[in-house]
Amino acid sequence: VKFQYRKHISKGGNQMQIKLIRKNRNLKQRDVAHYLKMSLSNYNKKENGKVKFTLDEVKRMSKLFKTDIEKFF
């Protein structure tokens, strides 16, 4: 049995968790979008579950939010 490395984080509850953490840190979507070097529109789609966050993006957000990556799952 071969295991595939999943580069993208699945849609679902993690977007809501990301939004809550972002708001608790008093950050706006544009702040996080700028930190991730993406457009506000693209970040909004990801946070609202229309597009998946990559694992790299989640790792970077965990640094920005100063929280464990496990909080995103």
Side-chain angles (χ1 to χ4, degrees):
V1 176
K2 285 189 174 183
F3 293 97
Q4 289 184 330
Y5 174 77
R6 292 185 65 191
K7 186 177 175 184
H8 291 86
I9 304 305
S10 63
K11 293 181 187 179
N14 69 319
Q15 279 82 0
M16 182 57 76
Q17 189 68 14
I18 289 168
K19 186 174 187 175
L20 290 172
I21 294 169
R22 175 182 60 77
K23 287 186 168 201
N24 285 335
R25 299 297 189 275
N26 295 315
L27 293 169
K28 298 194 180 291
Q29 283 187 342
R30 74 170 176 258
D31 300 325
V32 182
H34 179 75
Y35 181 80
L36 296 175
K37 298 179 180 157
M38 68 174 64
S39 70
L40 175 57
S41 173
N42 195 28
Y43 179 80
N44 180 275
K45 289 176 188 174
K46 290 179 181 236
E47 188 177 85
N48 288 308
K50 295 176 183 168
V51 177
K52 298 175 187 177
F53 283 102
T54 66
L55 182 57
D56 182 59
E57 290 165 346
V58 173
K59 286 178 181 177
R60 294 181 68 211
M61 284 188 294
S62 89
K63 287 183 182 182
L64 174 65
F65 298 154
K66 296 178 180 148
T67 191
D68 293 327
I69 196 167
E70 291 83 18
K71 298 266 186 185
F72 296 99
F73 301 98

